[in-house]
């Protein structure tokens, strides 16, 4: 997707929100900087564990903009968050200079425009001190290959599983879509689609598999809707523990533009049956980074 298509798709998400659309597009056009990448509807995980919605976010500058309308709430109700939103949320604790700028949409047009100018000035001031490069996806992957580790705090959503295997594990696949595969003697790559919770009930969206990621990403509970599969899985997890196998996990989700992505959420090891539900096997996170194989 080139810049033109990306920008059109990004700002079209506000077309049914009149005040928000006016404010955000006004800010963007006043900035007039094609090296600055905007992200719409970006969730941010606060340090207290709650989530807030940034109507517009500039990842290169760590600046978020919230448009306060009459019905606006500061923090998003947790039961209304999709698992996709939780996975793709930016972690405020990993950003030292995160800045949230708010604008009151209930003000007069004069007041709104004055605040828009203030916000633009703040963004331009920080942008002037930052080397702005709107990288292509391929450039991001090539840059990652030169790093020693991939961290859960790295903002790199992968498009395809083959991109993970080739960039992180040093493979050279032309195509690859298996969600669970051996990468080395002790390492397995796992790309689960996480379950959704509706009315307090966990539902599978991945061929019957139930994969529940803790909100703080500290563990994953895995089961299946088929009771026979549950029995088989419960019998096999001990072999995984005895072998000391580790799962490098990239959770599958849909990004804010509706495209499938894979986000690194950590390295996990099975500890046995989940203390919360005996039909689930629990995997606890043992590392928040994985070594990149050259």
């Amino acid at each position: 997707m080139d810049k033109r298509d990306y920008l059109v798709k990004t700002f079209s998400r506000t077309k049914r929100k009149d005040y928000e659309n006016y404010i955000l597009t006004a800010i963007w056009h006043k900035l007039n900087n094609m090296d600055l990448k905007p992200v719409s509807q970006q969730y941010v995980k606060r340090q207290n564990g709650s989530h807030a919605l940034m109507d517009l976010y500039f990842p290169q500058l760590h600046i978020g903009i919230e448009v306060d309308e009459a019905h606006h709430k500061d923090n998003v109700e947790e039961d209304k968050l999709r698992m996709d939103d939780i996975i793709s949320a930016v972690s405020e604790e990993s950003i030292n200079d995160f800045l949230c700028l708010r604008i009151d949409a209930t003000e007069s047009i004069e007041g709104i425009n004055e605040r828009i100018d203030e916000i633009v000035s703040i963004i331009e001031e920080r942008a002037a001190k930052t080397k702005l490069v709107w990288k292509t996806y391929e450039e991001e992957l090539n840059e990652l290959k030169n790093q020693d580790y991939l961290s859960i705090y790295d903002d790199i959503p992968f498009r395809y599983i083959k991109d993970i295997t080739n960039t992180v594990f040093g493979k050279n696949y032309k195509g690859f879509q298996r969600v669970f595969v051996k990468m080395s003697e002790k390492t397995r790559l796992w790309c689960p689609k996480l379950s959704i919770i509706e009315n307090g009930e966990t539902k599978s969206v991945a061929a019957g598999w139930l994969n529940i990621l803790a909100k703080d990403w500290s563990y994953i509970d895995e089961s299946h809707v088929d009771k026979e599969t549950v029995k088989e899985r419960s019998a096999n997890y001990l072999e995984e523990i005895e072998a000391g196998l580790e799962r490098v996990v990239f959770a599958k989700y849909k990004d804010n533009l509706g495209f499938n992505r894979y986000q690194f959420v950590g390295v996990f090891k099975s500890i046995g049956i989940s203390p919360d539900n005996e039909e689930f096997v629990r995997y606890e996170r043992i590392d928040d980074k994985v070594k990149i194989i050259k």
Side-chain angles (χ1 to χ4, degrees):
M1 186 184 298
D2 60 20
K3 286 185 179 181
R4 182 192 65 174
D5 291 342
Y6 175 85
L7 291 169
V8 169
K9 196 167 181 65
T10 294
F11 285 103
S12 68
R13 302 191 74 214
T14 67
K15 63 185 178 183
R16 292 185 180 89
K17 303 174 183 178
D18 295 341
Y19 292 103
E20 182 180 317
N21 181 266
Y22 172 79
I23 291 169
L24 299 184
T25 54
I27 290 172
W28 173 250
H29 289 302
K30 282 178 176 286
L31 286 168
N32 192 28
N33 188 336
M34 291 303 295
D35 290 323
L36 191 59
K37 182 177 182 179
V39 178
S40 62
Q41 306 296 298
Q42 174 66 62
Y43 283 93
V44 173
K45 182 183 178 183
R46 301 291 197 193
Q47 294 193 40
N48 62 9
S50 65
H51 287 78
L53 177 63
M54 301 291 108
D55 296 303
L56 192 62
Y57 179 63
F58 295 101
Q60 298 150 301
L61 303 178
H62 303 155
I63 292 179
I65 299 169
E66 288 189 66
V67 178
D68 294 330
E69 299 188 44
H71 60 276
H72 184 275
K73 292 184 179 180
D74 179 29
N75 288 320
V76 179
E77 293 180 29
E78 295 298 313
D79 60 357
K80 291 183 179 179
L81 275 174
R82 301 176 309 150
M83 184 57 70
D84 292 344
D85 298 324
I86 293 175
I87 298 172
S88 59
V90 173
S91 178
E92 188 181 49
E93 64 184 353
S94 67
I95 302 174
N96 295 326
D97 58 348
F98 179 80
L99 179 62
C100 177
L101 304 173
R102 310 185 76 134
I103 181 166
D104 188 352
T106 64
E107 288 278 350
S108 66
I109 188 64
E110 291 80 12
I112 289 175
N113 285 335
E114 183 177 338
R115 180 57 177 158
I116 286 174
D117 288 338
E118 291 174 355
I119 289 175
V120 169
S121 294
I122 294 171
I123 295 173
E124 287 178 334
E125 182 179 351
R126 184 172 286 194
K129 302 174 183 177
T130 307
K131 183 180 180 181
L132 297 176
V133 180
W134 187 335
K135 300 172 188 171
T136 65
Y137 177 62
E138 290 71 22
E139 288 171 338
E140 289 180 334
L141 294 185
N142 287 330
E143 189 174 275
L144 177 60
K145 286 180 180 179
N146 294 321
Q147 294 181 194
D148 292 327
Y149 293 91
L150 170 65
S151 164
I152 63 172
Y153 300 115
D154 289 327
D155 183 25
I156 302 178
F158 291 84
R159 292 182 186 171
Y160 307 106
I161 295 177
K162 73 174 180 64
D163 295 338
I164 300 171
T165 60
N166 296 352
T167 305
V168 179
F169 294 98
K171 307 296 183 181
N172 190 30
Y173 294 120
K174 299 297 183 183
F176 199 95
Q177 279 301 108
R178 291 171 59 190
V179 299
F180 186 75
V181 64
K182 179 179 178 180
M183 287 288 107
S184 70
E185 195 61 35
K186 296 288 186 179
T187 304
R188 303 294 183 267
L189 170 63
W190 186 25
C191 302
K193 175 64 176 173
L194 301 178
S195 301
I196 60 173
I197 299 177
E198 292 182 352
N199 301 319
E201 182 181 353
T202 303
K203 295 187 177 182
S204 171
V205 291
W209 287 103
L210 300 169
N211 304 303
I212 303 173
L213 176 68
K215 288 183 179 179
D216 62 358
W217 300 5
S218 60
Y219 67 84
I220 299 173
D221 280 352
E222 179 199 52
S223 187
H224 199 278
V225 296
D226 179 64
K227 300 304 179 184
E228 289 303 315
T229 303
V230 171
K231 289 180 182 179
E232 292 176 12
R233 187 72 190 91
S234 298
N236 293 337
Y237 78 86
L238 286 175
E239 297 177 7
E240 194 167 337
I241 293 176
E242 290 172 1
L245 298 184
E246 298 179 357
R247 294 190 177 197
V248 182
V249 182
F250 291 77
K252 184 179 180 181
Y253 71 99
K254 285 190 181 296
D255 68 12
N256 63 336
L257 296 182
F259 294 104
N260 287 328
R261 295 288 185 261
Y262 296 90
Q263 175 67 42
F264 176 58
V265 295
V267 182
F268 293 75
K269 254 189 177 182
S270 176
I271 63 165
I273 299 298
S274 169
D276 297 332
N277 189 325
E278 63 181 12
E279 292 189 348
F280 284 77
V281 174
R282 174 156 294 185
Y283 293 85
E284 286 194 348
R285 193 174 74 193
I286 59 172
D287 207 336
D288 62 3
K289 63 183 181 303
V290 60
K291 185 175 179 60
I292 294 174
I293 299 173
K294 308 300 181 185

